[in-house]
Amino acid sequence: MLTSTDTVPLSGPLDAAALRRAAHPLTVTVDEEARARVARGRRLFHALRHGPGGADRRIYGADTGFGALVGYAGRTDDADQCDNTLAHLGAGQGPDLAPEIVRAALLLRTRSLAQGLSGVSAEVVDRLAAMFATTFAPAVPRYGSVGASGDLIPLAYATQALRGRGHAYLDGDRMPAGEALTAAGLRPLVLDGRDALALVNGTSVTTAATALALDSVRAAHRSLTALSCLLTDLLGCDTGFLDADLLRAYGHPGAVDVGGRMRQALAGGAPSGTRPLQEPYSIRCAPQLLGAAEDALRHVDGVVAADLGGISDNPLFFPGTGPDAGLGTGLGTGTEGAGEGKVVHGGNFFGQPAAFAADLLASVTAQLGNLAERQLDLLVDPARNGGLPPMLATEPGAQHGLQGVQLATTAFVAEIRRAANPAGMQSLPTNLHNQDVVPFGTQAALRAHDTAGLLGLLCGSLALGLRQAAHVGARRPTAPRCAELLDALADAIPPVDPDRPLDSDVRTAARLLVRYARP
């Protein structure tokens, strides 16, 4: 049953919470203001195409070929032009994207079209909105987008599924798209060339994957901040490395803010007095590392917010404000119109901002993963963990404690590092040099999404280690907030005694941390 929190309006920018909720059925509302914008944009498109001067005015995709073939005439029938838009883009390969990414991307696409600058029909927006009340999700292959003219190939697969072609998921089951539409109570979309092009000419897959990845990394960052405090308290470390004057002198706002949060988490605690004067960097430099990550994530926050609130499409149709508003200066200028408005051809489907942001996000993820893995390594090492047994095993040799978990974290870190190679600098010309520079934002975003999931497992692994440390002899946390986190972990996960497979425990800890860390 839907609740009020399952309602998403298209009247303003979206946020990560709305994208997360799109994984499940929700109500997407198209208010009267949005309907008026869409209707106005559609009237302008028809006026510019069929009104005075329309015969001499070119509108990309309405009566032209696509991409490098823009200089050739398209198909004269609107339905054929729709097919002409989509058929040649059916060239994707690889496994299907996660349905939650596809549904989040379509929510973004719906919101962009509802701003009224794409010239689409109201039917398109209404039918897209209706889809979200079901579990329908198009089957979209992972590989094929360069993120330049938007996410052409993945969005073409999504659009075809909404037309009843290709495949889709319903209630998690993969089936022919036409069957899925019928079972969901949805009718196939009927599109003309402008509708079809507007559905594919945007960065919605890139933006959705980046936003969801950012949301996950944000949760992991908060989790790792809390776990660093719990590690500090369990081992009885001196907290002088969190001194407010010290961190202000460092000069970086992220470190100041993270240090403040860590001091709050450790409030009421007392060091044991048995630790070395200076802790290893994985403890002593945690506020600097986590603070630098915070500063970087704030930059990504801004890029994602801009993409969530922006309009990615080409061309765009702007209404006029006066009798001569938007009057074009002639063919070939990229801005062509009549007194009632103008059509502008440009590059608002170019995903470079998200490409750079996703690459930065992957770099942050790699270093946060390094920190989690190094803290777990410290925790299982009797030379550095205050005399706790090796691998936190209750009977070393007869039992092996966290040994398998630590091996897995090493593999996770290696995989994150491999995936962190920047995609946004890998530009290759394509499309007869029409797309002579491309951002590869889709690859950057999807890899950031993948590695964010691994980072969550690294945090879960560290949390499991901290829970086990308390079982094999670490002191009871002295700071109330740290004790609260340990108790939550202990309630959810039994001690490792005797050995057992720990894969599900790591996932349990990771899920608990996400709930604990969300603001």
Side-chain angles (χ1 to χ4, degrees):
M1 178 181 296
L2 298 177
T3 68
S4 60
T5 59
D6 297 312
T7 299
V8 174
L10 298 178
S11 53
L14 299 173
D15 57 18
L19 299 188
R20 284 199 312 271
R21 297 205 305 277
H24 306 286
L26 76 166
T27 299
V28 174
T29 59
V30 186
D31 61 21
E32 291 307 311
E33 182 180 349
R35 291 182 188 282
R37 289 196 303 266
V38 172
R40 181 187 62 195
R42 188 65 166 180
R43 288 195 302 270
L44 177 56
F45 163 65
H46 282 300
L48 291 171
R49 186 180 180 196
H50 300 297
D56 298 321
R57 182 181 299 115
R58 293 177 299 173
I59 298 178
Y60 173 64
D63 47 22
T64 71
F66 302 99
L69 304 183
V70 64
Y72 296 86
R75 301 180 187 179
T76 56
D77 180 82
D78 282 341
D80 284 347
Q81 184 70 343
C82 167
D83 289 338
N84 195 22
T85 308
L86 300 172
H88 76 284
L89 295 174
Q93 301 289 348
D96 290 340
L97 293 176
E100 56 264 30
I101 293 178
V102 177
R103 283 177 61 94
L106 287 175
L107 182 59
L108 280 167
R109 202 81 219 107
T110 307
R111 185 263 166 198
S112 181
L113 299 179
Q115 304 316 299
L117 299 186
S118 291
V120 299
S121 64
E123 178 81 356
V124 171
V125 175
D126 285 337
R127 300 276 286 284
L128 282 172
M131 183 210 75
F132 289 100
T134 77
T135 62
F136 183 93
V140 175
R142 177 175 180 127
Y143 301 114
S145 175
V146 298
S149 294
D151 297 307
L152 288 172
I153 285 178
L155 287 174
Y157 276 86
T159 302
Q160 291 285 54
L162 289 162
R163 298 175 73 206
R165 307 182 184 194
H167 290 81
Y169 292 88
L170 190 71
D171 297 329
D173 296 326
R174 197 178 195 272
M175 64 187 72
E179 294 180 16
L181 287 172
T182 299
L186 300 171
R187 289 181 292 125
L189 271 179
V190 177
L191 308 171
D192 64 14
R194 172 84 289 267
D195 292 332
L197 183 61
L199 279 163
V200 303
N201 241 4
T203 60
S204 301
V205 174
T206 299
T207 300
T210 303
L212 292 172
L214 172 62
D215 187 60
S216 294
V217 174
R218 272 276 178 207
H221 182 271
R222 290 187 290 266
S223 299
L224 193 49
T225 301
L227 293 174
S228 297
C229 294
L230 180 54
L231 174 64
T232 297
D233 200 355
L234 280 174
L235 297 182
C237 304
D238 188 282
T239 58
F241 66 94
L242 295 171
D243 182 84
D245 291 329
L246 176 78
L247 295 177
R248 276 195 297 271
Y250 190 53
H252 293 275
V256 172
D257 292 346
V258 168
R261 293 200 293 269
M262 293 181 73
R263 287 194 302 274
Q264 289 177 2
L266 286 162
S272 65
T274 62
R275 295 291 297 176
L277 174 64
Q278 295 192 141
E279 293 290 344
Y281 285 12
S282 58
I283 295 177
R284 185 176 15 137
C285 297
Q288 286 82 5
L289 188 159
L290 292 165
E294 175 65 29
D295 287 333
L297 290 175
R298 288 172 181 173
H299 171 73
V300 181
D301 287 340
V303 174
V304 168
D307 279 346
L308 292 177
I311 299 171
S312 60
D313 200 354
N314 177 58
L316 293 180
F317 299 84
F318 295 92
T321 57
D324 298 316
L327 185 64
T329 57
L331 298 181
T333 64
T335 301
E336 304 164 15
E340 67 269 30
K342 62 183 179 180
V343 55
V344 184
H345 296 83
N348 279 15
F349 48 34
F350 196 79
Q352 194 70 67
F356 286 152
D359 282 341
L360 178 58
L361 191 59
S363 179
V364 170
T365 299
Q367 186 65 330
L368 292 178
N370 288 339
L371 179 62
E373 188 276 334
R374 287 292 85 199
Q375 288 183 344
L376 180 61
D377 181 77
L378 185 156
L379 193 59
V380 301
D381 182 357
R384 294 177 293 152
N385 67 11
L388 299 176
M391 292 297 171
L392 304 178
T394 56
E395 188 180 349
Q399 297 189 39
H400 295 82
L402 273 289
Q403 184 163 276
V405 169
Q406 194 206 13
L407 287 169
T409 62
T410 304
F412 299 161
V413 168
E415 184 66 19
I416 291 173
R417 289 179 180 178
R418 183 193 64 79
N421 184 44
M425 56 173 280
Q426 305 292 339
S427 179
L428 291 170
T430 188
N431 198 232
L432 300 183
H433 289 262
N434 170 51
Q435 298 181 26
D436 54 350
V437 290
V438 299
F440 286 122
T442 321
Q443 288 88 336
L446 293 174
R447 287 184 307 140
H449 188 270
D450 292 343
T451 57
L454 289 173
L455 178 59
L457 294 175
L458 282 162
C459 290
S461 300
L462 175 59
L464 180 62
L466 291 164
R467 189 267 176 269
Q468 181 68 4
H471 175 67
V472 296
R475 72 176 192 167
R476 170 79 180 169
T478 58
R481 288 180 60 180
C482 291
E484 176 187 336
L485 175 55
L486 179 63
D487 289 343
L489 290 168
D491 287 344
I493 303 169
V496 185
D497 188 8
D499 285 345
R500 65 174 186 274
L502 296 173
D503 48 359
S504 62
D505 293 288
V506 168
R507 294 192 295 271
T508 295
R511 289 192 296 269
L512 184 152
L513 289 171
V514 169
R515 294 193 299 271
Y516 182 87
R518 290 226 187 270

